[in-house]
């Protein structure tokens, strides 16, 4: 197995994940770019549209974006930064909000596969990957964006940033990596595992026409969501603060939070802080 920081083998990735036998239509690896999400969003339509299930991986990304317009600059060879373009025409656009949650599920499944489940992995709603025992730290984030096209050009792009071999000195506060959790795994193996898992989840989602209950996806998400059962603070749009116990994730991917007075609020977006573990 190549060392964790070895350059990705673009040809091997295409043979494994691309046509004719792989689940992805196109797999491209570039040495450097500003943002893989921005690059694929630019190809949702126009003269050279990217096909459904396109993958773009960057060895180095220097203008990456996260939720709430956060930015980051990753170091080549330490992590994985990649985006996928999906055109799920079987699913109503109103249900596309589940795409980033599926990406989070794919990360959990892939980490379990490549580490032999030696590294605890869970999700903080909506789609941050948590690694390690309690208190866990963030190992990956997901950002989904819908392109501007209409009709057959309509597409969404899901970007993932995962810390694989990142050493402690390069990690942000509250962050971790597979290497810091004791996992000696190569980036290529991790990438293949994530993309295979995501392709399988995407296929289940489309086969059910976006009905995550019928597909069993909402139950899978709940089973891996560390936010459920915890006391949380949720920073909502407009800098409003919601505090209470996270009690459910519904079929629309929204988080239900029960306040101390018993009132339950359902939120579709917000930054979550786990205040403390639920009582056992």
């Amino acid at each position: 197995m190549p060392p964790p920081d070895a350059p990705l083998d673009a040809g091997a990735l295409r043979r494994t994940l691309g046509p004719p036998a792989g689940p992805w239509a196109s797999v491209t690896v570039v040495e450097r770019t500003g943002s893989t999400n921005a690059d694929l969003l630019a190809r949702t339509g126009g003269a050279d549209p990217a096909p459904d299930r396109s993958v773009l991986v960057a060895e180095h990304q220097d203008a990456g974006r996260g939720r709430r317009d956060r930015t980051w600059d990753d170091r080549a060879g330490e992590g994985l930064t990649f985006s996928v373009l999906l055109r799920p025409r079987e699913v109503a656009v109103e249900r596309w909000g589940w795409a980033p949650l599926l990406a989070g599920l794919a990360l959990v499944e892939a980490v379990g596969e490549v580490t032999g489940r030696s590294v605890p992995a869970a999700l903080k709603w909506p789609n941050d990957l948590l690694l390690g025992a309690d208190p866990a730290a963030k190992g990956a984030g997901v950002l989904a964006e819908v392109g501007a096209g209409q009709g057959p050009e309509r597409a969404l792009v899901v970007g993932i940033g995962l810390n694989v071999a990142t050493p402690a000195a390069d990690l942000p506060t509250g962050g971790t990596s597979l290497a810091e959790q004791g996992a000696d795994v190569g980036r290529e193996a991790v990438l293949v595992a994530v993309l295979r898992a995501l392709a399988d989840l995407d296929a289940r989602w489309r086969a059910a026409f976006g009905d995550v209950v019928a597909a069993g996806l909402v139950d899978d998400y709940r089973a891996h969501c560390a936010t459920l059962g915890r006391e949380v603070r949720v920073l909502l749009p407009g800098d409003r603060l919601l505090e209470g116990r996270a009690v459910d994730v519904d079929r629309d991917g929204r988080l239900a939070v029960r306040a101390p007075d018993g009132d339950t609020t359902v939120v579709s977006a917000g930054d979550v802080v786990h205040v403390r573990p639920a009582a056992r």
Side-chain angles (χ1 to χ4, degrees), residues 40-41 43-46 49-53 85-97 145-157 206:
L40 282 184
L41 283 168
R43 295 192 59 206
T44 57
D52 180 25
R53 293 180 175 156
L85 182 146
L86 304 174
R87 301 184 189 272
R89 299 190 181 99
E90 305 89 338
V91 180
V93 173
E94 293 76 19
R95 292 180 168 180
W96 283 12
E145 300 176 275
V146 177
Q150 298 295 324
E153 291 189 347
R154 198 72 183 265
L156 62 88
V157 173
R206 298 191 195 201

Side-chain angles (χ1 to χ4, degrees), residues 257-268:
V257 179
R258 183 176 298 145
D261 62 8
D263 287 345
T264 299
T265 301
V266 178
V267 298
S268 58

Side-chain angles (χ1 to χ4, degrees), residues 18 22 59 73 81 96 108 132 143 148 179-180 218 249 255 277:
E59 286 283 11
D73 183 345
T81 53
W96 283 12
V108 170
L143 175 67
E180 283 301 294
V218 69
V249 173
L255 181 70

Side-chain angles (χ1 to χ4, degrees), residues 174-197:
T176 189
S177 67
L178 290 172
E180 283 301 294
Q181 295 297 324
D184 182 16
V185 293
R187 293 185 306 134
E188 199 164 300
V190 178
L191 179 60
V192 168
V194 174
L195 288 173
R196 280 179 169 162

